[in-house]
Amino acid sequence: TLAESGLLRLVVAYASSLCVLSHRLEAYATWWFRMFLLVASIVACLLVWACLHDLQTREIPDWISVLIGVVAVVSSLLGWLGISIVWVLAGGVVGLAIAYALFRFAKLGGGDGKLIIAIAMLVGPVGILIVLFGMAIAGGVLSLIAMLRGQSDYAYVPAITAGFVGYVGFVHFLV
């Protein structure tokens, strides 16, 4: 379908950007940036799994959100994330506020909200704003596609994934 082919293109684009990044890493990368890419790759794989599950069943397994949260805490404690545990927890609180507002007023699903909280823990309170910007753009495109197809409900995890991939690209641009 159209959504699955778009998701496949997203995964291919992400994988090819990682290949390009690996060549650039030889020239200037730091240990931190390599660990950040490792964590981002693990989380991207989990988000792709969540996308596929959301597209098929309109549900997101809780273990994916929990695992992303655990990855955020552990990688922060090991110094791989680039932000301290305080910022991870602050990101979780900001993510909770955003997810609650979207759940309460925008009718976003509970699984989507839990995924936003987990990603907010991973990227911190400032990073989640960048992720939300990408999510809003991708969500608008998904909404237009759903309207053209006559659907009133659509999977939102692809938009969340696109926001995270956009964040990773933005961080790469800064580094």
Side-chain angles (χ1 to χ4, degrees):
T1 66
L2 181 62
E4 290 171 348
S5 66
L7 180 63
L8 182 61
R9 276 189 243 133
L10 177 71
V11 170
V12 168
Y14 184 74
S16 64
S17 68
L18 283 179
C19 291
V20 170
L21 285 175
S22 67
H23 292 299
R24 292 181 72 184
L25 282 175
E26 294 172 3
Y28 69 89
T30 62
W31 176 81
W32 170 83
F33 192 65
R34 289 182 187 187
M35 293 300 106
F36 174 78
L37 282 180
L38 175 67
V39 170
S41 298
I42 291 168
V43 171
C45 289
L46 290 170
L47 288 173
V48 167
W49 184 274
C51 279
L52 295 174
H53 203 275
D54 193 26
L55 287 169
Q56 290 176 349
T57 65
R58 293 289 194 266
E59 291 182 359
I60 304 164
D62 290 337
W63 64 266
I64 293 175
S65 300
V66 170
L67 193 54
I68 291 173
V70 168
V71 166
V73 170
V74 169
S75 60
S76 174
L77 291 174
L78 292 174
W80 295 357
L81 203 52
I83 60 176
S84 70
I85 190 68
V86 173
W87 286 110
V88 169
L89 297 176
V93 170
V94 170
L96 178 63
I98 291 168
Y100 176 75
L102 291 173
F103 178 76
R104 178 83 169 121
F105 301 113
K107 304 297 183 199
L108 194 73
D112 298 319
K114 289 181 269 189
L115 205 53
I116 289 170
I117 295 168
I119 291 175
M121 289 176 68
L122 187 72
V123 299
V126 176
I128 193 62
L129 299 177
I130 299 167
V131 172
L132 286 173
F133 181 74
M135 277 174 45
I137 292 172
V141 171
L142 285 175
S143 178
L144 288 174
I145 292 170
M147 278 182 14
L148 292 173
R149 296 173 80 184
Q151 296 174 323
S152 61
D153 185 29
Y154 56 94
Y156 202 75
V157 177
I160 296 171
T161 303
F164 178 73
V165 170
Y167 169 81
V168 172
F170 183 75
V171 168
H172 169 259
F173 177 72
L174 292 178
V175 171

